[in-house]
Amino acid sequence: MKIIINPKYIAQEKAILQLVNSFFDEGDLIVEGSRNTIKSNRLGEEKVNIKFFQKPGLFKSIIYSFFRSTKAKRSYDYANYLLIHNIPTPFPIAYIEERSALGLLGNSYYISQQIDYDFTIRELIHDPLFPERDTIVEQFTAFTFKMHEAQVNFLDHSPGNTLIVNKGGGNYDFYLIDLNRMKFESLSIAQRMDNFKKMWLSKQMIKVVAKKYANLSNQPEENIYPILMEKSIAFKRKIAKKKYLKRKIGRKA
């Protein structure tokens, strides 16, 4: 078993291991997927999240064991990178990897502080009358711009992967989650707009994003808006086509 613990939590190593060992018997279920499960629990006086990554198949186990960082390690490392660059994310506490005698990856875990958030971008998409909607979208755009300036290309930049905390007075904090798919690279304007495509922005939200991003990047809004609109429409069409083909195949079956 490989155990990496943030220096701030070294004194709680036994308690962290206990959380992992009792993962399937204790804690509150947050997300249960086919391969990943997230639970909340307590570590001393604070709430934490434990993300469980199920043992991969043989091929992926070999890849993750010898050629690529595991999802748990990437989550931990990327969280540290984000915090160094002042991009909020739940504080990384530890990651744990179970290995076979041959060194092959088994189950793994990522532990982070829990953020008690108010909503995500998803709620804004489904409710055009959401209070202070444009203000939140503007601040989210500034948050994303800061991420891009830190050369972070968040490949899972989707509606549920940014937690939003209402601080009152028209101010909001944003936290990135589900971090294991990122690239670190200098991004062109086209790449930056492409990074918004999974957000499922409405036309009104696209206008707000384009205007704010243009202001932050000193780029003409008339250049940014059509790129963002094109990227968003192309992605939505791609997903709609996939769903259509899946339904068509399903009917034939």
Side-chain angles (χ1 to χ4, degrees):
M1 182 179 283
K2 179 180 179 181
I3 307 166
I4 300 296
I5 300 175
N6 190 289
K8 293 182 179 181
Y9 287 85
I10 287 294
Q12 294 174 274
E13 179 175 350
K14 288 185 178 179
I16 291 170
L17 288 174
Q18 178 58 33
L19 287 178
V20 169
N21 290 333
S22 62
F23 178 81
F24 296 101
D25 302 315
E26 300 179 1
D28 299 318
L29 183 65
I30 298 176
V31 176
E32 184 170 23
S34 57
R35 301 199 63 81
N36 305 330
T37 301
I38 303 175
K39 282 188 169 183
S40 67
N41 209 327
R42 299 202 72 85
L43 178 63
E45 297 299 316
E46 65 180 323
K47 289 182 181 180
V48 298
N49 281 358
I50 307 104
K51 187 170 186 178
F52 164 72
F53 300 96
Q54 187 175 332
K55 176 183 177 180
L58 179 60
F59 176 73
K60 285 190 175 180
S61 181
I62 292 172
I63 296 298
Y64 288 138
S65 299
F66 304 112
F67 301 103
R68 190 182 183 195
S69 295
T70 66
K71 291 181 179 181
K73 183 180 188 302
R74 276 180 277 149
S75 297
Y76 181 85
D77 289 345
Y78 294 173
N80 279 302
Y81 180 94
L82 292 175
L83 292 177
I84 287 171
H85 290 82
N86 298 313
I87 300 168
T89 188
F91 190 86
I93 294 172
Y95 76 90
I96 296 172
E97 299 170 353
E98 296 175 353
R99 302 268 179 166
S100 70
L102 296 176
L104 293 177
L105 178 68
N107 297 332
S108 55
Y109 304 82
Y110 171 58
I111 301 97
S112 63
Q113 289 182 344
Q114 178 165 307
I115 300 296
D116 292 325
Y117 66 99
D118 295 301
F119 53 91
T120 68
I121 295 294
R122 185 177 288 116
E123 285 86 333
L124 276 68
I125 293 169
H126 295 307
D127 184 3
L129 300 179
F130 196 94
E132 298 187 306
R133 188 178 190 236
D134 286 357
T135 298
I136 298 166
V137 173
E138 285 181 352
Q139 292 182 24
F140 171 73
T141 303
F143 172 75
T144 302
F145 175 77
K146 185 177 181 180
M147 183 178 75
H148 291 162
E149 288 293 283
Q151 299 191 335
V152 176
N153 185 355
F154 184 28
L155 302 179
D156 283 331
H157 204 31
S158 55
N161 284 344
T162 300
L163 308 182
I164 305 174
V165 177
N166 186 347
K167 303 296 288 183
N171 297 307
Y172 297 85
D173 286 343
F174 303 84
Y175 296 82
L176 286 187
I177 61 169
D178 201 4
L179 307 180
N180 63 77
R181 294 186 66 240
M182 288 186 177
K183 287 183 179 179
F184 301 94
E185 56 189 353
S186 180
L187 298 165
S188 66
I189 285 296
Q191 287 175 308
R192 292 174 181 223
M193 295 304 101
D194 188 71
N195 198 217
F196 280 102
K197 68 184 180 185
K198 293 183 179 179
M199 298 307 302
W200 286 89
L201 301 172
S202 67
K203 290 182 179 180
Q204 172 60 25
M205 294 171 80
I206 287 174
K207 289 180 181 178
V208 175
V209 170
K211 183 176 182 178
K212 183 66 176 180
Y213 207 100
N215 178 261
L216 293 168
S217 60
N218 294 316
Q219 295 283 331
E221 184 180 346
E222 57 267 25
N223 289 354
I224 286 183
Y225 177 79
I227 298 174
L228 179 56
M229 180 65 79
E230 179 188 356
K231 298 288 187 182
S232 182
I233 290 174
F235 177 75
K236 290 175 182 178
R237 284 176 177 169
K238 180 181 177 181
I239 297 302
K241 185 177 180 180
K242 281 186 177 181
K243 290 182 178 179
Y244 169 76
L245 292 173
K246 189 178 289 186
R247 287 196 301 269
K248 194 172 183 180
I249 292 171
R251 286 197 294 268
K252 289 182 178 179

